[in-house]
Amino acid sequence: MINKYMPKSLLIVESPTKAKTLQKYLGSDFLVHSSMGHIIDLPKNELGVDLEHDFQPKYVTILGKAKVISGLKKAAAGITDIYLAPDPDREGEAIAWHIAQALGDKEHRFHRVLLVEITPKAIKEALAQPVELNQPRFEAQQARRVLDRLVGYQISPLLWQKVKTGLSAGRVQSVALRLVVDRERAILAFVPDEYWSLAACLEAKAPPAFVANLLKKDGKNIKPTSAGKVEEILEALEAAEFRVDQVSKKPQRRNPSPPFITSSLQMEASRRLRFPPRKTMRLAQKLYEGLEVGEEGPVGLITYMRTDSTRVSSEALDAVRGFIEEAYGKDYLPAKPNVDKSPKGAQEAHEAIRPTGVSRRPQDLKPYLAKDELALYDLIWRRFVASQMAPAVFQLTTVDVAAGPYLFRATASVLQFPGFTTLYQENQEEGEQPAKLPPLKTGEILTLRDFDPQQHFTKPPARFTEASLIKELEVQGIGRPSTYATILSNLQDRLYVAKEKSGLRPSEMGMVVSDLLVENFPDVMDPKFTARMETDLDRIADGDVPWQGVMRDFYGPFAQELAAAKTQMRRVKSVPTDIICPDCGGELHVRWGKNGEFIGCSNYPKCGFTGDFTRDAQGKISLAGQEPPAPGTPDEQPGAAPAVRGKPAPTGLTCPKCQKELLLRRGRLGEFLGCSGYPKCKFTQNFTRGPQGEIIPQSPEDEAAYTCPREGCGGHLLKRRSRRGFFYGCSNYPKCQFTMNQPPLDQPCPQCQFPWLMKKGKKILCPRDECSHQEAAPATN
């Protein structure tokens, strides 16, 4: 029973969950209370920064926190030693500082406790060695808060006036938006270049057959740029002898990745688990603060998750090395611990993200953790254990094959020792099917089975995913890892960016906002300038520069840009398109409403036409939902949608599904028949025209003449058109992605009796993967 006359120590944290876990470990020696996060902040309805008095912040008590502060004062009454244990970062330092100010220091001694992990041993050590409150670290957080307020609260009202009420700008958020917009512009401006690859399928004395790719001609790299160039090469190789020119074998070591830091955890959870960064951080916070684990009660399962250091404590290294030797054997344990270099500017006082107890395997926690909690813990556990395992060893074999003046190359990588890959596969390794080479000797003559020329086009840069945008922010030094999840969420919540599949595509409004900010605030929107600001904040935290000096250096030029923007920023309330209003003939504009973007008539309010719209891969805007898709038209480009090109025309033909009239419609790839009952009835049909121009519907039997060769598909080939011309694809697209460029040959396979064959290069092949039939194509005059 607690002695009421014996004063306790008070431990204050910011999270109720964390408080519950700590109270269990500390028992009756401590009172543990929670501040429920920040207790004071800048006011919401004003700037809250005194520009006349060296940028002093005007803090106010957060709504609902007066009661919390009162409770903390009551708990602290009569207690001398108060331990402040919010998170061990700048944000936590600010919370601790504000709690100390609220309680006052006349009757109390304040001790700062830094809990990198919530385990009995770590708690005991942190309480035994508390530190003083860190004023430079607190001022760095305060400087960031003031900077963000100066930018957000002074630029956002300009966007309300010039674009749309309710828009926001942010010092780091807007730079991240610029990166997404610049990438989209690069994609739209990209012009693909044609090139060809040429593979030779070869056989040696011993199996298996293998593929070598054209690499050089007369010692120089070669990449054919047209079908004609490929034909010239094939003619030159007609009578060439294929001979092994060189065989080289060398071991290749692949080292494990370091344990997670905040940014790499967000990236990997996005790639592997499809978790948005905000979800990843929410789950990681729960794992850090403690979850109920059976009879153990609440347990902190991972170390602090906001870190940019890959450092691992000596105790954790000893534990994981002992675990690896016991679980996997000495061969999997390197002679000395793997040490990884942390990113530039990392706070080495922190550790990497790792399990607090390596012996606590993911399968042991399955009965106690929710599915997503377990998935993230499993990822963290595997990455940490693998980071201290031996490298994987591969044998890389390279074979050069000479054929006249041409050189072909084949490579194969064979795993000889799995090392860390036993436990953790890097993303690029997953699903790889290693090529196999037969035993080969220099000078050995090979038999040519076939050539496989393939047409390719250079691809535009990929859209940012959440993972790759985090990587870009990290590389350029924009923001801090702890802010990445908020940045990405804000961009999507404010409808500046939308996620299409996994890619981030800027909205029309996002592009307008980015353009206006770049025009009027070139410094704020410069990634290099933003990175320099992050360096200045680090210098404040290290005590090297006063925070007010950094504010003065920033605000002078910013105030000048702000004053100019108030008179010079363009007013953009809508974006014109080249689409004609179907109601009045005016031009349609993209506009912004409460629920996002829409398309509306420029003659509003005289004309009230509105509609949804889509963009194709080239950024061209089209009305959406006005017609069904043409039959046999796969989405060959991301986001592609049919364009409206006039009203459907009656045909007098009857829909076989619902008996309503079929209409002649025009889609992106030409005319087709569609039901007038669309969207309730989505029947579509191809057609041909007779001698007098009459419409002749194409029967399903005509379409189904050529069966798809993929086993179990059940589809049939359709003639389709892409930007590069006609091709043939399966009617079950996208479930089946079989395509071919040449029309099918109307003759059965003599080996398996499949009803048609295909031409590929100078060969005629059976299209079934299960059949090996091939023959030379007849010569053409």
Side-chain angles (χ1 to χ4, degrees):
M1 188 171 179
I2 300 172
N3 185 345
K4 65 180 179 180
Y5 299 105
M6 183 180 291
K8 294 183 177 183
S9 294
L10 175 64
L11 179 68
I12 302 176
V13 295
E14 79 284 20
S15 157
T17 305
K18 193 173 175 182
K20 180 182 177 183
T21 305
L22 288 168
Q23 188 70 77
K24 170 209 154 187
Y25 288 137
L26 295 173
S28 60
D29 293 335
F30 277 82
L31 288 173
V32 184
H33 279 254
S34 166
S35 69
M36 311 287 286
H38 283 276
I39 57 173
I40 63 173
D41 196 8
L42 299 176
K44 290 188 175 182
N45 56 355
E46 60 176 291
L47 183 64
V49 178
D50 191 342
L51 300 177
E52 304 298 325
H53 295 88
D54 229 3
F55 307 97
Q56 283 302 314
K58 302 176 182 179
Y59 289 116
V60 298
T61 302
I62 296 172
L63 185 65
K65 291 302 179 73
K67 187 175 180 181
V68 173
I69 295 173
S70 176
L72 293 176
K73 287 181 177 179
K74 186 176 179 180
I79 295 180
T80 302
D81 291 304
I82 297 178
Y83 295 83
L84 303 173
D87 288 346
D89 57 12
R90 294 174 193 171
E91 209 69 28
E93 199 68 39
I95 294 174
W97 196 272
H98 291 150
I99 292 172
Q101 289 177 332
L103 297 182
D105 58 3
K106 290 183 179 180
E107 301 175 358
H108 309 297
R109 288 194 301 262
F110 293 103
H111 311 279
R112 182 76 168 102
V113 178
L114 302 175
L115 292 172
V116 177
E117 60 183 87
I118 303 177
T119 58
K121 183 174 182 291
I123 295 167
K124 184 178 179 180
E125 290 177 352
L127 288 171
Q129 300 176 352
V131 297
E132 294 182 356
L133 289 168
N134 189 315
Q135 184 170 353
R137 187 179 291 178
F138 158 66
E139 289 178 343
Q141 187 277 343
Q142 183 168 261
R144 178 186 296 278
R145 189 76 185 91
V146 170
L147 270 174
D148 291 346
R149 177 57 65 97
L150 291 175
V151 172
Y153 267 50
Q154 295 190 91
I155 295 181
S156 296
L158 277 176
L159 297 177
W160 303 348
Q161 298 170 20
K162 305 295 185 179
V163 185
K164 178 182 176 289
T165 303
L167 297 183
S168 73
R171 183 180 61 87
V172 180
Q173 165 195 307
S174 297
V175 179
L177 173 61
R178 179 183 183 176
L179 295 179
V180 176
V181 170
D182 287 351
R183 176 62 60 88
E184 189 71 16
R185 291 246 163 82
I187 293 171
L188 297 178
F190 182 80
V191 178
D193 291 325
E194 180 185 8
Y195 71 97
W196 288 70
S197 63
L198 179 61
C201 184
L202 302 167
E203 287 182 340
K205 294 177 182 177
F210 66 99
V211 172
N213 293 295
L214 177 64
L215 182 67
K216 294 182 178 182
K217 178 184 179 183
D218 296 325
K220 296 180 180 179
N221 290 340
I222 182 173
K223 184 182 285 187
T225 55
S226 67
K229 300 279 188 184
V230 175
E231 287 294 337
E232 291 176 9
I233 295 171
L234 290 174
E235 289 178 8
L237 292 170
E238 194 85 30
E241 179 183 73
F242 285 77
R243 176 178 47 80
V244 177
D245 185 61
Q246 183 179 345
V247 178
S248 65
K249 296 181 180 182
K250 60 180 181 180
Q252 191 178 52
R253 295 163 64 89
R254 187 175 300 171
N255 294 315
S257 296
F260 285 127
I261 59 177
T262 304
S263 57
S264 59
L265 175 63
Q266 292 175 1
M267 286 187 276
E268 201 69 354
S270 176
R271 291 190 191 104
R272 289 175 177 265
L273 306 177
R274 299 293 185 261
F275 288 174
R278 178 181 282 181
K279 178 177 180 178
T280 297
M281 296 308 292
R282 185 177 70 248
L283 292 170
Q285 183 89 35
K286 294 170 70 176
L287 294 173
Y288 163 70
E289 291 181 347
L291 292 168
E292 294 284 343
V293 180
E295 295 179 357
E296 287 189 78
V299 177
L301 296 174
I302 65 169
T303 53
Y304 189 56
M305 65 287 160
R306 293 186 180 91
T307 176
D308 51 11
S309 170
T310 58
R311 186 182 71 83
V312 178
S313 69
S314 56
E315 294 87 351
L317 283 175
D318 291 342
V320 72
R321 286 175 61 80
F323 176 84
I324 291 169
E325 184 173 1
E326 181 180 345
Y328 297 96
K330 289 185 178 181
D331 289 343
Y332 287 82
L333 185 68
K336 59 182 181 179
N338 297 327
V339 178
D340 298 284
K341 187 177 179 182
S342 296
K344 183 180 178 182
Q347 300 177 42
E348 290 297 341
H350 290 174
E351 280 195 60
I353 302 170
R354 60 170 176 81
T356 55
V358 71
S359 60
R360 200 176 279 117
R361 302 186 190 208
Q363 58 264 37
D364 301 332
L365 299 177
K366 190 172 182 180
Y368 312 112
L369 301 189
K371 179 182 176 183
D372 289 345
E373 294 165 352
L374 183 63
L376 189 64
Y377 179 80
D378 179 78
L379 186 66
I380 293 168
W381 186 90
R382 288 177 179 275
R383 174 77 166 235
F384 172 64
V385 177
S387 72
Q388 289 301 320
M389 294 178 77
V393 180
F394 297 81
Q395 184 181 69
L396 180 65
T397 302
T398 303
V399 177
D400 287 344
V401 177
Y406 296 97
L407 185 73
F408 290 74
R409 177 167 291 174
T411 60
S413 183
V414 179
L415 181 65
Q416 293 188 317
F417 175 68
F420 74 93
T421 63
T422 299
L423 186 62
Y424 188 88
Q425 292 280 332
E426 298 295 336
N427 237 34
Q428 63 266 27
E429 296 167 354
E430 293 176 355
E432 285 185 358
Q433 294 296 323
K436 294 182 179 180
L437 293 173
L440 295 167
K441 295 181 180 179
T442 302
E444 182 175 347
I445 305 302
L446 304 173
T447 302
L448 174 67
R449 279 182 52 181
D450 191 16
F451 285 116
D452 184 17
Q454 292 287 335
Q455 183 186 37
H456 307 276
F457 290 87
T458 54
K459 295 181 179 180
R463 285 198 182 107
F464 282 116
T465 61
E466 289 183 324
S468 62
L469 182 56
I470 288 172
K471 182 65 176 177
E472 187 69 17
L473 292 171
E474 183 183 44
V475 168
Q476 296 204 32
I478 299 169
R480 301 295 298 176
S482 58
T483 65
Y484 294 158
T486 303
I487 291 168
L488 267 69
S489 296
N490 286 345
L491 290 178
Q492 295 173 71
D493 293 345
R494 287 171 170 79
L495 304 181
Y496 289 158
V497 167
K499 191 187 291 186
E500 290 190 0
K501 297 182 179 177
S502 61
L504 299 175
R505 183 175 194 166
S507 65
E508 203 70 31
M509 181 171 64
M511 297 179 84
V512 166
V513 167
S514 179
D515 290 347
L516 291 177
L517 294 181
V518 170
E519 291 168 10
N520 294 275
F521 299 95
D523 284 342
V524 172
M525 293 295 286
D526 181 3
K528 292 181 180 178
F529 177 84
T530 307
R532 287 196 297 272
M533 288 302 305
E534 293 298 333
T535 302
D536 287 341
L537 292 172
D538 290 341
R539 293 172 64 207
I540 295 171
D542 293 337
D544 295 335
V545 294
W547 76 274
Q548 292 96 336
V550 173
M551 294 299 102
R552 286 191 292 270
D553 292 343
F554 166 79
Y555 196 72
F558 174 71
Q560 294 178 6
E561 291 181 348
L562 186 66
K566 289 179 179 178
T567 58
Q568 297 175 10
M569 183 180 282
R570 293 181 291 120
R571 182 181 174 89
V572 186
K573 293 292 183 178
S574 64
V575 177
T577 70
D578 59 356
I579 303 174
I580 304 302
C581 175
D583 289 355
C584 74
E587 186 179 29
L588 296 181
H589 285 204
V590 174
R591 300 182 182 276
W592 302 287
K594 293 181 180 179
N595 298 320
E597 298 177 324
F598 67 96
I599 205 163
C601 186
S602 57
N603 290 330
Y604 179 84
K606 290 183 179 179
C607 176
F609 176 83
T610 61
D612 294 327
F613 68 92
T614 59
R615 299 182 194 85
D616 64 15
Q618 284 71 46
K620 183 176 176 59
I621 291 173
S622 304
L623 276 169
Q626 297 293 308
E627 62 172 326
T633 305
D635 291 333
E636 294 143 0
Q637 308 165 25
V644 173
R645 306 181 188 277
K647 293 185 177 181
T651 64
L653 300 172
T654 302
C655 173
K657 282 194 174 181
C658 70
Q659 308 308 310
K660 291 187 177 181
E661 184 180 17
L662 291 178
L663 301 179
L664 178 63
R665 300 180 181 273
R666 179 176 292 275
R668 178 162 53 93
L669 301 182
E671 294 178 319
F672 65 97
L673 299 177
C675 183
S676 58
Y678 181 84
K680 289 185 178 180
C681 178
K682 297 181 179 179
F683 177 80
T684 60
Q685 194 172 22
N686 286 322
F687 69 92
T688 57
R689 290 190 181 271
Q692 308 301 319
E694 68 273 18
I695 292 174
I696 304 173
Q698 187 174 351
S699 70
E701 290 77 13
D702 294 333
E703 289 191 342
Y706 297 101
T707 305
C708 177
R710 291 282 166 86
E711 188 73 26
C713 170
H716 53 271
L717 296 193
L718 295 172
K719 188 175 183 182
R720 293 169 170 164
R721 179 167 48 187
S722 70
R723 287 176 294 165
R724 306 184 189 104
F726 286 102
F727 69 99
Y728 295 80
C730 182
S731 60
N732 283 341
Y733 178 90
K735 288 184 178 180
C736 176
Q737 300 193 2
F738 176 83
T739 60
M740 53 188 279
N741 293 328
Q742 298 293 329
L745 301 177
D746 198 9
Q747 59 188 80
C749 173
Q751 185 169 315
C752 70
Q753 305 306 311
F754 190 73
W756 56 271
L757 298 173
M758 63 184 289
K759 184 179 180 184
K760 195 170 186 179
K762 294 190 174 184
K763 301 284 186 180
I764 291 178
L765 311 171
C766 179
R768 295 178 67 243
D769 294 336
E770 298 81 3
C771 181
S772 60
H773 172 73
Q774 59 177 293
E775 58 189 72
T780 55
N781 296 325

